[in-house]
Amino acid sequence: MTATTLDPSLSQQINTKTHRHGAVVEEIEGLIRVYKDGHVERPQIVPCVMSSLASELVVTSRDIVIDKPTNIWARFYLPKYHGNLPLLVYFHGGGFCVGSAAWSCYHEFLAKLAARAGCLILSVNYRLAPENRLPAAYEDGFKALMWVKQQAICGGGNEWWSKKCNFSSIFLAGDSAGANIAHNVAIRLNSCQSMSIKPLTIKGTILIQPFFGGERRTNSEKYTVEPPRSALSLTASDTYWRLALPPGASRDHPWCNPGAKGSIQLGELGISPIMVCVAEMDILRERTLDMCAALARAGKQVECVVHKSVGHAFQVLNKSQLSQTRTLEMISHIKAFIIR
């Protein structure tokens, strides 16, 4: 999820198109506009980049098609390390409505994470809402994992990465809406016990500033003073949920609020450990901390890490010295979680 200042001239260009598609029915300024006839516009405020990387990173990156009919693809990051490496199946943020595995901010962050944490990363480019409302993104995440399983069994011309992958050390990970996807893919894996994922073994889930909500506002949602150019506001959060959830669903739908009455219990997540990263200045801070407490009460092995004085999505959207320092701290925590 992002909120980046948009060039006013681009807004004027977009405004000239309103008569063609009817009235604007939903909008997050600079990110997405949805028109009455269903037309969707997403200004490219974050550049999409090719998979190439600077040589000093010592990371190889390539794009791979996972499912051609639904246009699901992924970007691989393979660092130069000896021996087999754990694999992070990663889902980008963007409120389920915007974002891409090719966004420059994710390309830079995940290349750095692969190099410093010593892990393979599969960054999944899933279908976006509102054209593809939930559970489409969850289905794409599950399909990506099944694709990895198939590669582990029979290869398929991807030896350049598969021969370096420890398929018995798989982690589901993501930030913001991507963390929500990782969480729900983990639930689906545990509920589909009749479907074996062998030879894959899920060793843990990493949720970075997970995007959840609810009809009841938390204090941090109501009172947090957002930093300048905040990556997520309460208004934007509500809009994302209206666009992503099934039509007519409230924010107490289990995909939005896993703690709501009637939702799947957190105790049904399985036995693998969970790492949760919280940004102190994030409006979702209190909701995320409550989730960590609920996981602990359910008997889950949960590690909660709070990053001080930074806001939502700081690791991909903020270039300040403080954010860069906190990002390196986050990467160190993730590395420790993976190798323990």
Side-chain angles (χ1 to χ4, degrees), residues 75 90 167 228:
R75 180 162 293 182
Y90 194 93
F167 289 104

Side-chain angles (χ1 to χ4, degrees), residues 4 103 154 244:
T4 304
W103 268 12
C154 62

